[in-house]
């Protein structure tokens, strides 16, 4: 038989009160978390109920097909971030939660506690180094880590829209596209180049980095429109590197081809 000893100054009543306070505190934080998820951009499909890579790609596919049916051409740019989850600045994240999502009080204390006092140890064979304090990054395999990351980057959708560019996001993967007539290819290039340039500066302000070497570009349109496209400059310049258009690009487990076909890869 197991027995439990209580200090004469601690009664069952005190224990119940502590449990209730912790439960109520958790409910307040959970309510804030639910509100946070609800306030995320409509075109962010990661880590959300009834959303997936399939919905992220199909929304873009629908927009592109409708534009092509109108005789327009559509460049699609796939952007990748380098080690995005590992470079999230904790102070900046807490500021974003407070400023963009009005998280404060117990909920803010909860979020701050989640990030505080984390350490990391590096082990190679018999050698190890650490523990070292961790002041950036969120755990990708946790429940809160991914949600915090997409909250951290939530305002990027507004930034992209300001340049006349459409987008759909899946965690740190970004799909950018814009529809123009076949004689306005230069307009599409200007929109995307300007947008990506501002996006690069925004990433730097959040300690994130665009991986220009993994950027992919593909153009969609009717056969006639694409023939006209071949006579125009339809590359993009990112960080002094020319991104050449491809006939096939890979996106969230799917492959796009220039005839707007989708294949599972």
């Amino acid at each position: 038989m197991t027995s439990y000893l209580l200090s004469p100054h601690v009664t069952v009543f005190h224990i119940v009160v502590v449990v209730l306070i912790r439960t109520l505190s958790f409910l307040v934080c959970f309510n804030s978390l639910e509100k946070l998820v609800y306030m995320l951009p409509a075109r962010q499909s990661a880590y959300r109920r009834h959303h997936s890579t399939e919905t992220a790609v199909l929304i873009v596919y629908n927009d592109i097909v409708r534009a092509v049916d109108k005789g327009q051409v559509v460049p699609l740019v796939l952007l990748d971030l380098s080690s995005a989850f590992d470079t999230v600045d904790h102070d900046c994240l807490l500021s974003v939660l407070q400023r963009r999502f009005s998280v404060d009080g117990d909920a803010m204390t909860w979020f701050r506690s989640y990030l505080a006092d984390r350490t990391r140890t590096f082990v190679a064979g018999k050698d190890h180094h650490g523990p070292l304090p961790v002041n950036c990054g969120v755990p990708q395999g946790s429940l809160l880590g991914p949600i915090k990351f997409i909250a951290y980057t939530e305002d990027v959708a507004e930034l992209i829209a300001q340049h006349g560019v459409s987008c759909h996001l899946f965690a740190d993967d970004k799909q950018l596209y814009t529809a123009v007539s076949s004689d306005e290819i230069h307009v599409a290039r200007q929109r995307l180049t300007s947008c990506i340039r501002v996006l690069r500066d925004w990433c730097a302000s959040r300690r994130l980095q665009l991986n220009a070497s993994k950027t992919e570009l593909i153009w969609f349109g009717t056969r006639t429109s694409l023939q006209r496209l071949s006579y125009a400059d339809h590359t993009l310049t990112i960080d002094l590197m020319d991104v050449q258009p491809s006939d096939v690009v890979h996106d969230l487990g799917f492959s796009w081809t220039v005839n707007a076909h989708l294949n599972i890869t």
Side-chain angles (χ1 to χ4, degrees):
M1 179 177 179
T2 304
S3 61
Y4 299 92
L5 297 177
L6 294 177
S7 168
H9 301 292
V10 178
T11 66
V12 174
F13 173 77
H14 289 110
I15 296 175
V16 171
V17 169
V18 170
V19 171
L20 286 175
I21 290 174
R22 289 185 176 180
T23 302
L24 290 173
S25 177
F26 173 77
L27 289 175
V28 169
C29 297
F30 183 77
N31 185 49
S32 296
L33 184 60
E34 286 285 292
K35 289 181 179 178
L36 187 151
V37 173
Y38 179 76
M39 294 170 64
L40 293 174
R43 291 205 163 203
Q44 169 60 266
S45 290
Y47 314 111
R48 304 177 71 179
R49 186 179 301 174
H50 308 307
H51 292 69
S52 64
T53 54
E54 288 87 351
T55 60
V57 172
L58 286 176
I59 288 174
V60 177
Y61 177 78
N62 181 67
D63 290 345
I64 290 175
V65 170
R66 293 178 64 181
V68 171
D69 284 345
K70 295 177 182 177
Q72 296 177 303
V73 293
V74 184
L76 170 67
V77 179
L78 306 177
L79 297 178
D80 179 73
L81 297 178
S82 299
S83 304
F85 281 76
D86 296 330
T87 57
V88 172
D89 183 273
H90 290 174
D91 291 335
C92 185
L93 170 60
L94 294 173
S95 175
V96 168
L97 291 175
Q98 184 177 44
R99 179 167 39 87
R100 299 284 299 183
F101 298 95
S102 300
V103 175
D104 56 13
D106 289 341
M108 177 56 73
T109 301
W110 187 59
F111 279 115
R112 184 176 286 110
S113 174
Y114 178 82
L115 296 171
D117 300 324
R118 290 187 174 274
T119 60
R120 180 176 297 168
T121 300
F122 297 90
V123 179
K126 295 181 179 180
D127 299 326
H128 72 277
H129 187 61
L132 301 173
V134 175
N135 57 9
C136 65
V138 291
Q140 190 169 354
S142 64
L143 173 64
L144 275 181
I147 294 176
K148 284 190 174 185
F149 176 80
I150 57 179
Y152 186 65
T153 58
E154 167 266 346
D155 56 334
V156 72
E158 296 178 9
L159 184 71
I160 294 171
Q162 291 173 5
H163 293 80
V165 175
S166 300
C167 72
H168 202 93
L169 316 173
F170 192 90
D172 57 335
D173 291 306
K174 295 170 176 52
Q175 305 168 97
L176 275 58
Y177 55 102
T178 186
V180 295
S181 62
S182 57
D183 58 351
E184 292 182 323
I185 295 171
H186 65 286
V187 174
R189 292 179 63 245
Q190 288 172 357
R191 287 179 186 172
L192 289 169
T193 301
S194 175
C195 179
I196 294 172
R197 184 183 301 116
V198 173
L199 186 58
R200 179 196 58 200
D201 295 338
W202 173 89
C203 284
S205 72
R206 300 288 174 92
R207 292 183 66 173
L208 302 172
Q209 183 176 6
L210 281 178
N211 191 341
S213 64
K214 289 189 177 181
T215 300
E216 295 186 274
L217 168 66
I218 188 171
W219 289 79
F220 300 103
T222 62
R223 182 174 300 177
T224 302
S225 298
L226 292 178
Q227 287 176 347
R228 295 178 185 173
L229 187 66
S230 63
Y231 297 104
D233 184 2
H234 50 290
T235 62
L236 289 180
T237 302
I238 302 175
D239 290 338
L240 303 178
M241 184 181 75
D242 289 335
V243 179
Q244 299 292 337
S246 303
D247 292 335
V248 179
V249 297
H250 301 285
D251 180 28
L252 300 176
F254 295 83
S255 60
W256 293 85
T257 61
V258 289
N259 53 10
H261 285 173
L262 273 177
N263 301 300
I264 299 177
T265 57

